[in-house]
């Protein structure tokens, strides 16, 4: 399930916790311990998600509440202030024992659900942007270059605002307990009062405003590896998962991209756009030119996971073509959901095309020759193939088509998906690196390349 799904679950859980805190006073120390520990767990997961989105710790030094208060009174440094506020809010001056496996207090159960949901969000992000490593997926590549980061931080800030609302009510909830419990949990009440008055909610609101209209990460899900054999596709969700698995693996291992991936990927883009273009010839023609160029290439067959990736693309293509004969609006709306995958797929194939040309695994037709077999009066045409080179017209046509599909597809949706956050190709370093007219195949910055294990 996607980040958007888990974000909604976390929001509902925080609202339920705040409502339960007003309706259910604590009955025992175990109930309070459960709430305190669950609250700390939510803050810990929000801190982790912020670090993953920011690519590290925005505030390197450890700050206590006094230091965080001083930092949050300054102007600017909004992300640093937010991160420092989260860490300070999570500080409780006394450790409390964990509660039993059966949590009785309703606020604690809701807070635990919120912590689990935010934890899954962090797991999804870590799948694409693992700490200290190169991004293994196109989504991670886009996030590391800013795609969806502002929107993702806004989502974390919304959850933080909900948690601050709970902290506002937490001291009063603790006061409903017996007198000795109120004294025991005074450090918790002090931490909650600091959070309520620290300006963390104000900083969170500023991040929410900054994230409006930015590419969203709500559609981001865990990237799985290609399966062998490719699972049967019955729904559009299955198709999206299959395409995502194939292009994520091929992005991580561009040296494994083969001719069959180029052919299946361009045919899939063409099939989706034939069904969803509403008669717009420019979109269909672009994918058609790419598919025609890819069909003219020959290559060695893939093996291992590369073969499995081809199987996933082939199954997605089969399912898409099965819907081409049915022009109903429902099917077209389903196929439109595959459009979000196509820019990433085009970028992955464009990157793999360059690698395949460099290692000499793609072949194009050379000029044929006429030969006369011994003892024969008839000359026969012999078909010849040679390794493709980056300046060949066929390779240039395919590279140009994929580059256009990557950058320009669905321009109206650019603000709504991190899939559109790829940077434009860099300028050539020297005149020999790139011809003056057509773009070369090598257009993706080398720092974003994956590496095999």
């Amino acid at each position: 399930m996607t980040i958007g799904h888990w974000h909604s679950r976390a929001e509902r859980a925080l609202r339920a916790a705040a409502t339960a805190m007003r309706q259910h006073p604590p009955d025992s120390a175990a109930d309070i311990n459960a709430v305190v520990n669950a609250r700390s767990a939510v803050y810990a997961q929000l801190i982790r998600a912020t670090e993953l989105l920011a690519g590290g710790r925005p505030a390197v030094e450890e700050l206590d509440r006094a230091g965080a208060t001083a930092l949050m009174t300054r102007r600017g440094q909004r992300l640093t202030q937010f991160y420092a506020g989260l860490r300070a809010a999570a500080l409780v001056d006394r450790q409390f024992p964990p509660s039993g496996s059966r949590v009785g207090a309703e606020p604690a159960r809701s807070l635990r659900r919120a912590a689990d949901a935010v934890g899954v969000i962090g797991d999804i992000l870590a799948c694409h942007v693992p700490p200290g490593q190169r991004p293994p997926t196109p989504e991670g590549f886009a996030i590391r270059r800013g795609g969806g980061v502002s929107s993702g931080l806004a989502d974390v800030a919304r959850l933080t605002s909900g948690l601050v609302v709970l902290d506002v009510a937490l001291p009063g909830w603790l006061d409903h307990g017996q007198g000795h419990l109120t004294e025991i949990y005074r450090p918790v009440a002090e931490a909650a009062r600091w959070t309520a008055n620290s300006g963390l909610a104000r900083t969170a609101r500023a991040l929410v405003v900054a994230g409006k209209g930015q590419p969203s990460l709500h559609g981001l899900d865990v990237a799985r590896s290609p399966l062998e054999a490719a699972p049967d596709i019955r729904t559009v969700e299955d198709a999206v998962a299959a395409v995502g698995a194939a292009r994520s693996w091929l992005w991580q291992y561009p040296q494994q991209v083969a001719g069959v991936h180029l052919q299946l990927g361009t045919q899939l883009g063409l099939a989706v756009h034939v069904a969803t273009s509403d008669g717009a010839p420019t979109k269909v023609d672009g994918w058609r030119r790419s598919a025609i160029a890819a069909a003219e290439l020959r290559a060695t067959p893939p093996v291992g996971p590369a073969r499995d990736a081809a199987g996933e693309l082939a199954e997605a293509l089969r399912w898409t073509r099965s819907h081409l004969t049915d022009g109903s609006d429902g099917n077209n709306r389903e196929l439109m959901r595959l459009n979000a995958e196509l820019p990433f797929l085009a970028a992955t194939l464009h990157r793999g095309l360059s690698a395949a040309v460099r290692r000499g695994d793609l072949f194009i037709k050379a000029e044929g020759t006429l030969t006369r077999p011994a003892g024969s009066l008839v000359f026969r045409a012999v078909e010849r193939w040679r390794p493709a080179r980056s300046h060949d017209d066929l390779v240039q046509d395919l590279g140009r088509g994929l580059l256009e599909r990557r950058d320009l597809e669905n321009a109206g949706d650019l603000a709504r998906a991190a899939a559109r956050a790829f940077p434009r190709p860099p300028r050539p370093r020297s005149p020999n690196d790139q011809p003056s007219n057509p773009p070369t195949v090598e257009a993706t910055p080398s720092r974003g390349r994956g590496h095999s294990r």
Side-chain angles (χ1 to χ4, degrees):
M1 296 182 183
T2 63
I3 280 181
H5 168 83
W6 292 108
H7 184 269
S8 297
R9 288 189 63 166
E11 281 189 320
R12 291 195 300 269
L14 288 175
R15 287 196 298 268
T19 300
M21 192 165 285
R22 292 191 298 268
Q23 298 174 351
H24 303 284
D27 293 329
S28 65
D31 288 345
I32 300 178
N33 286 346
V35 169
V36 172
N37 291 321
R39 170 190 179 274
S40 297
V42 179
Y43 273 116
Q45 295 298 343
L46 292 172
I47 290 168
R48 178 190 179 216
T50 303
E51 291 175 348
L52 289 167
L53 287 167
R57 300 177 61 178
V60 178
E61 59 180 330
E62 294 286 348
L63 296 174
D64 56 12
R65 284 201 285 269
T69 300
L71 177 63
M72 296 179 74
T73 58
R74 303 174 190 170
R75 292 187 177 182
Q77 301 179 333
R78 192 172 294 155
L79 177 57
T80 302
Q81 293 172 344
F82 178 69
Y83 180 76
L86 283 177
R87 293 192 68 89
L91 292 175
V92 177
D93 295 335
R94 178 181 172 184
Q95 296 293 323
F96 295 93
S99 57
S101 58
R102 293 179 61 86
V103 178
E106 173 53 34
R109 288 199 297 267
S110 296
L111 279 174
R112 182 55 62 182
R113 288 196 297 270
D116 292 342
V118 181
V120 176
I121 291 174
D123 292 341
I124 294 174
L125 289 172
C127 175
H128 298 280
V129 283
Q133 301 178 32
R134 288 184 177 182
T137 65
E139 292 95 334
F141 180 86
I143 291 170
R144 278 291 165 261
R145 280 149 182 80
V149 172
S150 294
S151 178
L153 289 172
D155 289 337
V156 175
R158 289 187 186 93
L159 297 176
T160 301
S161 297
L163 195 52
V164 171
V165 169
L166 186 139
D167 273 352
V168 170
L170 185 56
W173 184 75
L174 294 172
D175 285 342
H176 282 86
Q178 300 175 13
H180 69 286
L181 293 181
T182 302
E183 186 62 29
I184 290 173
Y185 292 100
R186 187 178 301 278
V188 180
E190 291 175 353
R193 289 191 185 97
W194 180 89
T195 304
N197 300 314
S198 65
L200 179 59
R202 181 179 63 252
T203 306
R205 287 194 296 271
L207 287 177
V208 170
V209 172
K212 289 183 177 179
Q214 297 301 309
S216 174
L217 297 179
H218 278 193
L220 196 62
D221 204 344
V222 172
R224 67 169 175 83
S225 298
L227 302 178
E228 193 272 327
D232 292 339
I233 294 178
R234 295 182 175 85
T235 65
V236 67
E237 288 80 10
D238 296 339
V240 169
V243 176
R247 50 95 174 150
S248 293
W249 190 89
L250 293 172
W251 176 270
Q252 190 171 5
Y253 303 106
Q255 69 276 12
Q256 299 295 326
V257 174
V260 65
H261 302 120
L262 298 169
Q263 293 163 0
L264 291 171
T266 53
Q267 290 171 21
L268 177 62
L270 175 60
V272 171
H273 281 77
V274 166
T276 61
S277 63
D278 295 327
T282 54
K283 293 183 180 180
V284 175
D285 288 347
W287 280 104
R288 182 178 289 117
R289 286 194 299 270
S290 297
I292 291 173
E296 295 295 323
L297 295 171
R298 295 294 182 270
T300 54
V303 295
R307 179 192 58 228
D308 301 338
E312 299 264 16
L313 290 175
E315 178 62 14
L317 178 60
R318 180 204 63 77
W319 180 84
T320 303
R321 284 176 170 171
S322 70
H323 286 67
L324 291 179
T325 56
D326 187 351
S328 65
D329 290 341
N331 280 333
N332 285 348
R333 282 194 297 270
E334 277 198 338
L335 291 174
M336 284 296 292
R337 294 182 57 184
L338 279 175
N339 279 337
E341 292 294 322
L342 296 184
F344 270 164
L345 179 62
T348 302
L349 296 178
H350 186 273
R351 191 163 175 255
L353 172 61
S354 177
V357 170
R358 285 199 303 271
R359 68 177 185 266
D361 277 359
L362 295 180
F363 304 91
I364 62 175
K365 279 186 179 180
E367 293 184 3
T369 60
L370 294 176
T371 61
R372 187 176 65 178
S376 174
L377 298 177
V378 178
F379 285 82
R380 296 180 180 179
V382 177
E383 191 176 70
R384 298 174 57 198
W385 293 81
R386 64 169 177 82
R389 294 184 288 269
S390 60
H391 61 265
D392 288 328
D393 290 342
L394 196 63
V395 176
Q396 290 289 336
D397 288 344
L398 179 55
R400 186 185 300 110
L402 291 173
L403 189 63
E404 291 174 354
R405 296 306 95 198
R406 183 192 81 176
D407 286 344
L408 304 180
E409 195 59 53
N410 290 335
D413 293 337
L414 294 184
R416 295 201 296 270
R420 318 303 195 267
F422 284 97
R424 288 198 171 274
R427 295 181 180 275
R429 297 173 185 167
S430 68
N432 295 329
D433 290 339
Q434 179 174 327
S436 58
N437 293 327
T440 61
V441 178
E442 182 60 42
T444 305
S446 60
R447 61 178 177 175
R449 291 194 183 115
H451 53 87
S452 61
R453 290 190 284 262

